[in-house]
Amino acid sequence: MPQIRIPAYMNKILSYISDIPGKIRHFDIILVSCMAGYYIYLMCSHILYNGIWGDESYSITLAMHPIGEIFSTVSLGRDAPLYYLFLHFWEKAFGISEISVRSLSAVFSVSTLILLYIFCKRYLNRQTAFYASLLYIASAFELHYGMETRPYALDNLLALLSFYVFFSMIQKRSLKKWIVLGIINALLIYTHYLGAFMIIVEAVSGLFFIRKYGFGIYKTFIYSSALTLVFLIPWSMNILRNMPEVGKTWQTIPTRDDIDDLITYFFFNEYIFFRISLWITAISIGLIIIKRKRDLSIPKLVSVLFLAILPVILAYFISFHNPVFVFRYFIYALMGVFMFIGYLFSFVPISKPVKILLSLVFFSILPGPYALGAFCNQEWQLVMPTVFKERQMHNAAYSRILVAPEYQTETFAYYFDRKAYRNYNYLNEDIQKENVFGVSNVKDIQYHLNQYPEEIIFIRTAVLNDVEKRLDSAYWFRYEKAYCGINIIVYKYRK
């Protein structure tokens, strides 16, 4: 078999680097601290790359409510309550701004990186911890949703924590561990309902450990899952009542295009990572079989593979009845991808220095934060200068602002009038005093046209052709700017 050759001096340097873990005390703590520090730097430098958008504004507003109102509001929708409770207290402590509200998710994301390293180091091996952590840091998908003011970062952290306790319970069963696992899985589902897939991942993975550890581990897992169900009883009717149905939600039945999009977005908005990952996986398996690596644990390898694929498969087929195939809903599956690739690569029978070099080269060519542009939502922060310019030129009575759809007035108020935004109980009344209204259809537009405003500033985050045609027919002049997910159109000179 041909050997990969590198210059002698480089081999000496890499050999010295690869021996460092055994020479430096607390090496893992130092390494994971450096990785976490770099990830914090990435988040700090990109936390404002996108403005607050509709879903984030909803989270911020909901978290401002008293705790009782948070529960009552969430019980009527499709969100789980736990994240909003965290955000409620976070806002009380740090206030409301893009940085403050997103920093909560950033804390969860950095914690996930640290836990990922610890998990891999303890249950797989140190090399896997290094490779998987590099992939996590390089993931634009993880970085984007790890900063968003939504439940996904907490969902990621709890899913990985559940997997950690599950592995711990397999190796050493105890009453304490199955109680802890039951509580964590309940918290996971109270963060996002698709967290329930983790229980299925663990149930299927447990089958592969029975031969080594006996059927007792499965009994323990059943007790833990039963405890999770007990904790979910108070909220079970809300979960069942608010399941999305085909044709009654913005979510749709998945198609082949959705699978292509999943690959594109999961793998850093580029097929390059997906293709290279397939090659690495295939070559690794081939070399491992040839060399007969007996220390490779098939149950562990299969478990991280199930974490990578089962949530995606389950979401895909469930979506034909209850559409939930939204990539960010099962973001924790990426943890399985990173660990699967890293674990296989750690057993490739080439020298450790060469593997370290290859992993760093691979890390350097991945787009990472440079791929964040693909994840823009609604660039409200770019729209507002035009709004403020028009309002400086003309007073509020002259210039009427219409925001569509109507529910987006909340996000508009975040940038337009923060005082009105905080006064959420009277938000609509306050911004209407400033001649700002939400609209959703032609009937709403006609009402405002009947008031004969000299100028209309129309801001939309959805395609509303009928509404625009009606406005076009009423004014002589139209000026439009388009941004990611949002358009602003200024109409002047009434016909």
Side-chain angles (χ1 to χ4, degrees), residues 368-438:
Y370 298 107
L372 285 173
F375 298 98
C376 70
N377 294 307
Q378 298 156 359
E379 295 179 324
W380 284 93
Q381 76 281 11
L382 301 182
V383 165
M384 300 313 295
T386 302
V387 174
F388 292 133
K389 180 181 177 181
E390 290 295 326
R391 276 296 171 92
Q392 287 175 354
M393 294 170 58
H394 310 288
N395 59 35
Y398 178 92
S399 178
R400 177 163 295 198
I401 299 173
L402 303 181
V403 182
E406 187 174 1
Y407 62 82
Q408 291 286 9
T409 52
E410 187 178 274
T411 314
F412 174 82
Y414 176 86
Y415 286 100
F416 184 74
D417 188 340
R418 193 67 59 84
K419 182 179 178 181
Y421 181 80
R422 288 192 176 96
N423 190 21
Y424 55 85
N425 284 323
Y426 301 96
L427 173 60
N428 287 330
E429 292 88 337
D430 288 344
I431 63 172
Q432 285 175 10
K433 292 175 183 176
E434 300 181 68
N435 212 6
V436 178
F437 299 87

Side-chain angles (χ1 to χ4, degrees), residues 272-445:
I272 181 173
F273 176 76
F274 182 65
R275 290 168 179 166
I276 293 176
S277 298
L278 289 179
W279 277 107
I280 291 174
T281 301
I283 293 171
S284 299
I285 291 174
L287 292 174
I288 290 166
I289 291 173
I290 292 171
K291 289 290 185 176
R292 297 181 181 179
K293 288 281 186 176
R294 298 186 183 278
D295 48 347
L296 172 67
S297 171
I298 297 301
K300 291 179 180 179
L301 180 66
V302 170
S303 294
V304 295
L305 177 60
F306 283 147
L307 177 58
I309 64 173
L310 268 184
V312 178
I313 294 172
L314 290 168
Y316 182 84
F317 286 104
I318 288 174
S319 291
F320 287 95
H321 186 264
N322 302 108
V324 293
F325 196 75
V326 181
F327 312 145
R328 57 187 181 270
Y329 289 0
F330 40 87
I331 186 175
Y332 55 85
L334 267 177
M335 298 294 103
V337 174
F338 302 152
M339 288 188 283
F340 181 76
I341 294 172
Y343 193 49
L344 273 180
F345 190 59
S346 71
F347 285 97
V348 171
I350 57 178
S351 66
K352 190 186 298 183
V354 173
K355 284 192 286 187
I356 292 173
L357 178 62
L358 289 175
S359 66
L360 292 174
V361 169
F362 185 39
F363 175 77
S364 67
I365 65 174
L366 292 173
Y370 298 107
L372 285 173
F375 298 98
C376 70
N377 294 307
Q378 298 156 359
E379 295 179 324
W380 284 93
Q381 76 281 11
L382 301 182
V383 165
M384 300 313 295
T386 302
V387 174
F388 292 133
K389 180 181 177 181
E390 290 295 326
R391 276 296 171 92
Q392 287 175 354
M393 294 170 58
H394 310 288
N395 59 35
Y398 178 92
S399 178
R400 177 163 295 198
I401 299 173
L402 303 181
V403 182
E406 187 174 1
Y407 62 82
Q408 291 286 9
T409 52
E410 187 178 274
T411 314
F412 174 82
Y414 176 86
Y415 286 100
F416 184 74
D417 188 340
R418 193 67 59 84
K419 182 179 178 181
Y421 181 80
R422 288 192 176 96
N423 190 21
Y424 55 85
N425 284 323
Y426 301 96
L427 173 60
N428 287 330
E429 292 88 337
D430 288 344
I431 63 172
Q432 285 175 10
K433 292 175 183 176
E434 300 181 68
N435 212 6
V436 178
F437 299 87
V439 295
S440 294
N441 51 51
V442 174
K443 183 179 178 181
D444 295 339
I445 289 293

